[in-house]
Amino acid sequence: MTSNRPVRVERASGNDLVELVCDTTGTSMQVAAVLMLDTRSPVDIAAVREVIAERIKAVPRLRQRLVDAPFGCGGPVWVDDPAFDIGDHVTSAVCPAPGDERALLRIVAEAVTTRLVRDKPLWSATLVTDVSPDRSALAVVFHHVLADGIGGLAVLAHLVDGVPVALDRGFPRRAPRRRELAADAVRSRARAVGRLPIGMNRLRAAVAEAGIGRRAHAPRCSLNRPTGTNRVLAVARVDLAAVQVAARAQGGTINDAVLSAVAGALRTVLAARGEDVDHLVVSIPVSTRRQAGITELGNRVGVIPVEIPTTGDPIRRLAAVARITRQRKTAAPGSSTALLGWMFRALAKIGVYRWFVDRQRLVTTFVSDLHGPDHAMSFLGAPVVDLIPVSGISGNVTVAFAALSYAGTLTVTVIADPDRVPDLDDLADALRRELHAQG
């Protein structure tokens, strides 16, 4: 039964809507986190569904759909899904022989490229059994419109063990009525007018963060070619403390170490392809917040395009990267979305966004880096022994990288279009060498 209590109108923000605009294939803005479980005692799908169904009561967005508002009533809104069924979202799969990480990553790649249905909550979870005699995995996929990376970590924190059971909060609440949406839209427009002076300041900050006016362009190379819908994954791991020590010794951060390693690895692969590239332009997400709660998901990130050198030995390159990123930091992190979001939505409105991203020369690749849980977690009593991040690629960016720290390990996942990056194994090997050379 739907509750008739007054409802709060929850709209997708302008930043959120950018994720829909950027979703050129219907799956390109879907991301994932893979929890590797030590399951010496088997975990079955019924138990997984039961515990997730209970725990997502604390995360309203996981039982909400994104729907368009009527004409004149503002942008899309999040509404409770009265037909929500946990069975539609939590499924299982058996890892094929030989039951190793490569086989698991093929399943994860398929899960992250299976389009989430817009008339249901935009997430899924797949329990993968038989990864090895004592390993299973839980692959959680969600559309980026639902949450950014920091928000995604907040969601994961409520799926694992140790979180108090939440009340149901009157689910499902009724959807806002047309007059409520119209009134909210009028109030939102009035607030927007009142924020115009602040908006001009943020616009200036956005121009600085987005690097508009700079002469740097991504070099012409085989890393930038229009992509399809297939994806392949590879993973590199390194001791977190070792990388942190190496980065600090060069005046940098773990993020700088990841950027330097990515640049070195891509240079190695390009050289094997017969291409000589001495720099790349990397798009780095920058958040306006350090952490998020389950009631404040959505997207609050901008991007900084940074020109990174590919040459030199790993330590000198790391020092150079640290200097460059310090110079590119801005006083208002995340502000660039205000400008880029408007530009991308305008391009989409006139029907040329896909044409633009298939031909852009602004960035070579995407690299994200998140600070994950420092302590070990568990799920249904099974220790989480590894946490693998999976990001997305779109347009003519053929390969991207997602880094995540967890319980003393830094994991970097490479995602690529297999038709454009047939040498993924070589790239992953080069990335491992670069990461270990720094530590």
Side-chain angles (χ1 to χ4, degrees), residues 238-247 250 257 261 314-315 318 410 431-439:
V238 68
D239 180 74
L240 178 64
V243 173
Q244 190 170 48
V245 168
Q250 303 305 319
I315 299 303
L318 173 54
L410 179 65
L431 180 60
R432 295 182 190 105
R433 290 194 299 270
E434 291 282 344
L435 288 169
H436 286 283
Q438 294 175 160

Side-chain angles (χ1 to χ4, degrees), residues 346-355:
L347 290 172
K349 199 170 187 64
I350 61 176
V352 298
Y353 176 78
R354 181 63 187 264
W355 178 91

Side-chain angles (χ1 to χ4, degrees), residues 2 14 22 49 126 193 219-220 251 261 263 288 408 433:
T2 303
C22 294
R49 283 176 175 152
T126 305
V193 171
R220 294 190 181 278
T288 63
R433 290 194 299 270

